Every structure is written in C-alpha cells, then in structure tokens.
Amino acid sequence: MTTLAIDIGGTKLAAALLDSNLQIRERRELPTPASKTPEALRAALQALVAPLQGRANRVAIASTGIIREGALLALNPHNLGGLMHFPLTQTLEQITGLPTLAVNDAQAAAWAEYHAMADEISDMVFITVSTGVGGGVISNGKLLTGSGGLAGHLGHTLADLNGPACGCGRVGCVEAIASGRGIAAAAEGTLAGCDAKTIFSRAGQGDEQASRLIHRSARTLARLVADVKATTDCQIVVIGGSVGLAEGYLALVEHYLAQEPLVYHVELLAAHYRHDAGLLGAALLAQGE
Ligand code: ADP
Ligand code: BMX
Ligand code: ZN
C-alpha cells in the first residue's frame, strides 16, 4: 500500500508518497495560496499531487483548520487568506479517485510523535508554532479530537487580555502573539513587513527588536505549556512547526517555563519527525495504526 500524504498549512502545502513502513519515497512543497475562494486552493492541491497520485492507493490529509466530516472549517480564516470553508476529502477524492481521510494538522502530528515515543508515555501534547499555533492532545494513549474536531486548539486559549485581536474573534489568544503571523504582525520600523523567518535571522544578527519579538513568543508559549500541564498532566510536550523548530527557540521556551512554579514543569522535546510529523501522522491514521 502506498499513501499519498498531504499537509495543508497556512504558509505551505506539502505532499509525499509513503510506503507501509512510513518511509518517504518522494516529497514536494508548494506555497499555500492566499485566497478567500476555494478555487485557488483546489488548483494548488491539484498541481501538488499530479506527479504523485498515479503511484498511490489512498490519500491521507493533515490540514490546518477544524476538520469535521471531511471538510475544513477555519477557526482563524486570516491564516488562509480569508477562506472559511473547504470540502477537503471531497476535493481530493475528485482529483485522485482515491479513498481519502482528513484530520487536523496538529492532531495528526501529535499522533505521529506519540508513535515515536517509549511505551511508558501515555499522555503527551504536541504544539506547532507555525503560521498559527496548533495543538494535539494524547490522553491515556488516545488522540482527542472532541465532538466536532475542535479538541487541542491550544492557540486560541487566552494569553493576554490586552493583547492583539485574533482572527478567531477573540482578543489576546496565544496564536495572535506567539505564532509566525503574530510575531510578524507586531514588527515595527525597520522590521515592518518582515515575515517570522526574516525576523529570526535578524535576531541572529543582533537586532534588538527582532530578539524581543521572539522572546515575547517564547514566553507566551511557555505559559501555554504550563496551562497544558495543569489541564492534562502530560508527561511530555513536543514542539514542532517552523518557528517551534527554529534554532534556539525551544531553549527559550525552556528558559521561561523554568520561571513558572515547579508543579507546571514538564519535559519539552523538539518534534522527532521535524517538519514531516503531520504527513506521517495522517498516513498512520489512514493505515489504522
Ligand atoms: P505551515 O504553517 O504552513 O505549516 P510552517 O511550519 O513552515 O508552515 O510555518 C510557517 C511560519 O514559520 C511562517 O511564519 C514563517 O515565516 C516561519 N518560518 C519558516 N521558516 C522559518 C525559520 N527557518 N525560522 C523561523 N521561522 C520560520
Ligand atoms: C490555527 C487553526 C488550527 C491549526 C493551527 C496551526 C485555522 C485555519 N487553523 O490555530 O486548526 O492547527 O492554526 O496551523 O483555523 P498551521 O497552518 O500553522 O500549521
Ligand atoms: Zn484565537
């Protein structure tokens, strides 16, 4: 069996062919189109999978957004150029003619990372710091998806009552401050208009504002980790996403978590599968593993 796994994020689309042992045979990426209408995303997905689909037996999708009955419902539509709703499994079934399963990206990544862990781990949480901030919760060896797919949307818990508005409709969400978009949105002066990747490289060159923005993100994420520990009593928190995996970021989160009371401390790990955790988790779920 070969699985065509697809990861739909707010910044990039990735697709890979995976064999039953979860070895990646071929991998491609394209930028996520920023468009309110579903046609652009459909066309981008079609272009992404065209060179791969002929060799696959099924499709497994890890996607940003609440995934309910195979459809994508944006909790924060700003992350997808204003797109609110997209018929995910229906579109991929039409494009490929293959059976298709879809799950939230951070939930999928949590499942892959849980699989990579030692047997004594039964409770863990995955957090992606990427375009947004997403989460996936494994409780007593089970992936929580909730009654309507919302479980684990940790980026939309409150970080700062006086913080920026979030695209989900709340004010001061963790995502509005800590995510790649949140970091970029707060940039001023010489950094105005820069994306998070550029802000990280400026911080590396000694730019003080860039460094402040990254600290603000890491401090906010550390407080979220303490909240997560208090809610789930997890044994491990795994951090992924391009901001989460950026050099030095995890160490900063550890630094700020160490300032919280001891009862909220928890081991932090960088994602074992790095940028492929979502792809692998979706494939595992499609295989029924
Ligand atoms: P997606 O959200 O599409 O899954 P990513 O995990 O790559 O994609 O997250 C995208 C965010 O990460 C953007 O805000 C981007 O600026 C930022 N980013 C990408 N590469 C890096 C990097 N090397 N260091 C820091 N931030 C990065
Ligand atoms: C947002 C939300 C989550 C997602 C998270 C990380 C949308 C469109 N997405 O909180 O479902 O898991 O971002 O997504 O509402 P990413 O694009 O950063 O990978
Ligand atoms: Zn929010």
Side-chain angles (χ1 to χ4, degrees), residues 121 123-125 127 221-222 224-230 232-239 250 253-254 257-258 260-269:
I121 303 299
D123 295 83
M124 60 140 307
V125 173
I127 303 176
L221 207 80
L224 171 64
V225 169
D227 286 356
V228 160
K229 177 66 181 172
T232 66
D233 194 14
C234 55
Q235 295 152 292
I236 291 185
V237 173
V238 176
I239 309 287
L250 188 63
V253 178
E254 280 169 341
L257 184 61
E260 298 286 329
L262 192 61
V263 66
Y264 303 125
H265 291 190
V266 57
E267 186 182 350
L268 296 179
L269 283 180

Side-chain angles (χ1 to χ4, degrees), residues 9-10 64-65 74-76 79-80 104-105 130-134 153 156 175:
T64 191
L75 179 58
N76 183 355
N79 292 2
L80 281 170
N104 169 267
D105 54 358
S130 34
T131 311
V133 172
H153 275 79
H156 303 281
E175 177 162 302

